[in-house]
């Protein structure tokens, strides 16, 4: 509800995008949802549409999309509620659409598991670029898992299973959002290396993220809180960024 869509004729052409990627567009404004779906189909995505939060959850469960373009203001379940209900262990990329320009609203979406957001009105070319970036990240994760013989990282009493995308601390399953898991793995696959926030955005988010580097701090804080006493394994390097300690084994 609310929000104007700006559509341009600047359609991205990129051979990296293949029909294997499934995108679910969720917006109660049918004109906007259908316009986004049309633009994505022109880019060779497999696309489906939902017009409220309840329908979105049903289609996410049934269709298992790679990316969900998710409006915030919707009937039945809003975008935040949908975000909370998506399987925490899935690798679904979530791009939230909001008519609000308040940083707090955007931070809420990121904390609930969204990967990125766009504020209405937006240019279609930008939405396509962000969807493509999310698909590139998903493809990269899949390729790394298929080519990497390392499947488990043990860090003291912390176990990170790359294949199952699960994390156990002291034998207890820790529920991480997809982006939190990607960030944790990235740091522990590069122990002792200090990464700036911009480097992390480039390597983990794989995009020019307009929300700024603050999102890195938010994700690190949430990961540390969830890991409890193991949160100290991620170190802050003042005025630079973050690093992971190296007292662990790879299997």
């Amino acid at each position: 509800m609310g929000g104007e869509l700006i559509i341009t004729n600047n359609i991205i052409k990129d051979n990296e995008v293949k029909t294997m990627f499934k995108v679910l567009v969720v917006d109660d404004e049918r004109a906007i949802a259908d316009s986004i779906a049309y633009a994505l189909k022109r880019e060779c995505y497999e696309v489906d549409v939902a017009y409220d939060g309840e329908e979105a959850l049903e289609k996410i469960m049934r269709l298992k999309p790679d990316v969900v373009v998710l409006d915030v203001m919707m009937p039945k379940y809003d975008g935040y509620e949908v975000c909370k209900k998506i399987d925490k262990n899935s690798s679904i990329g979530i791009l939230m659409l909001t008519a609000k320009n308040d940083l707090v609203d955007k931070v809420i979406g990121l904390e609930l598991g969204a990967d990125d957001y766009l504020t209405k009105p937006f240019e279609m070319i930008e939405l396509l670029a962000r969807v493509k970036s999310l698909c590139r990240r998903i493809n990269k994760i899949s390729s790394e898992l298929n080519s990497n013989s390392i499947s488990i990282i043990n860090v003291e009493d912390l176990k990170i299973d790359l294949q199952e995308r699960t994390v156990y601390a002291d034998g207890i399953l820790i529920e991480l959002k997809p982006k939190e898991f990607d960030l944790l793995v990235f740091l522990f696959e590069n122990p002792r290396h200090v990464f700036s926030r911009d480097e992390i955005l480039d390597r983990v988010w794989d995009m020019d993220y307009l929300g700024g580097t603050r999102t890195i701090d938010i994700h690190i804080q949430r990961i540390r809180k969830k890991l409890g006493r193991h949160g100290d394994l991620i170190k802050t390097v003042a005025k630079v960024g973050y690093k992971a300690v190296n007292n662990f084994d790879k299997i």
Side-chain angles (χ1 to χ4, degrees):
M1 298 175 180
E4 171 190 357
L5 182 66
I6 299 176
I7 302 176
T8 71
N9 293 321
N10 298 318
I11 302 299
I12 295 174
K13 298 298 181 184
D14 194 321
N15 292 330
E16 292 181 46
V17 176
K18 302 179 177 62
T19 54
M20 70 176 69
F21 291 114
K22 295 186 289 186
V23 181
L24 177 65
V25 178
V26 187
D27 198 312
D28 65 314
E29 294 188 72
R30 289 177 177 262
I32 291 179
D34 294 345
S35 295
I36 294 172
Y38 174 75
L40 288 167
K41 287 176 181 177
R42 287 190 61 184
E43 297 300 303
C44 299
Y45 292 97
E46 183 180 334
V47 185
D48 209 320
V49 180
Y51 300 108
D52 61 59
E54 186 175 69
E55 183 184 10
L57 287 171
E58 184 275 324
K59 289 192 173 182
I60 289 170
M61 293 272 296
R62 177 166 54 85
L63 302 175
K64 298 183 177 5
D66 298 296
V67 173
V68 177
V69 178
L70 181 62
D71 188 37
V72 172
M73 303 300 289
M74 294 186 299
K76 297 186 179 179
Y77 294 116
D78 65 22
Y80 297 138
E81 291 175 295
V82 172
C83 221
K84 285 191 291 186
K85 292 177 181 292
I86 291 177
D87 184 1
K88 305 303 184 297
N89 293 322
S90 72
S91 59
I92 295 175
I94 302 174
L95 171 61
M96 298 202 79
L97 305 179
T98 174
K100 300 178 180 179
N101 199 29
D102 191 329
L103 180 60
V104 173
D105 293 301
K106 296 169 183 176
V107 169
I108 290 173
L110 293 172
E111 289 185 337
L112 291 175
D115 297 281
D116 197 7
Y117 62 81
L118 272 177
T119 302
K120 296 178 179 179
F122 55 83
E123 296 278 356
M124 186 64 77
I125 189 172
E126 183 176 4
L127 181 142
L128 293 173
R130 289 172 182 271
V131 170
K132 183 181 71 173
S133 183
L134 287 174
C135 289
R136 187 187 300 121
R137 174 180 65 81
I138 292 166
N139 196 46
K140 179 180 177 182
I141 292 171
S142 177
S143 298
E144 288 176 350
L145 288 176
N146 290 332
S147 63
N148 196 342
S149 60
I150 298 169
S151 60
I152 295 176
I153 299 175
N154 287 313
V155 193
E156 297 180 357
D157 293 319
L158 194 67
K159 177 183 176 182
I160 305 171
D161 190 317
L162 306 185
Q163 296 287 346
E164 297 291 333
R165 289 183 65 84
T166 55
V167 177
Y168 286 85
D170 301 313
I172 300 173
L173 178 64
I174 306 298
E175 291 192 351
L176 295 181
K177 299 294 197 308
K179 189 62 70 180
E180 293 170 351
F181 181 85
D182 295 342
L183 177 53
L184 182 69
V185 170
F186 172 71
L187 291 175
F188 283 111
E189 283 189 330
N190 299 277
R192 299 182 63 186
H193 188 105
V194 180
F195 292 98
S196 70
R197 292 167 177 81
D198 286 327
E199 287 177 309
I200 293 173
L201 279 177
D202 182 59
R203 299 282 293 277
V204 180
W205 270 253
D206 194 26
M207 66 179 71
D208 294 326
Y209 183 68
L210 298 182
T213 57
R214 174 60 180 160
T215 189
I216 303 300
D217 300 324
I218 292 171
H219 279 75
I220 291 290
Q221 289 170 12
R222 290 181 63 83
I223 291 170
R224 283 173 170 164
K225 182 177 180 180
K226 291 181 179 182
L227 295 182
R229 68 184 183 89
H230 301 291
D232 289 339
L233 294 170
I234 301 175
K235 303 295 184 183
T236 300
V237 180
K239 298 182 180 180
V240 182
Y242 298 97
K243 70 174 182 178
V245 298
N246 71 327
N247 54 328
F248 63 90
D249 301 313
K250 294 182 179 179
I251 301 175

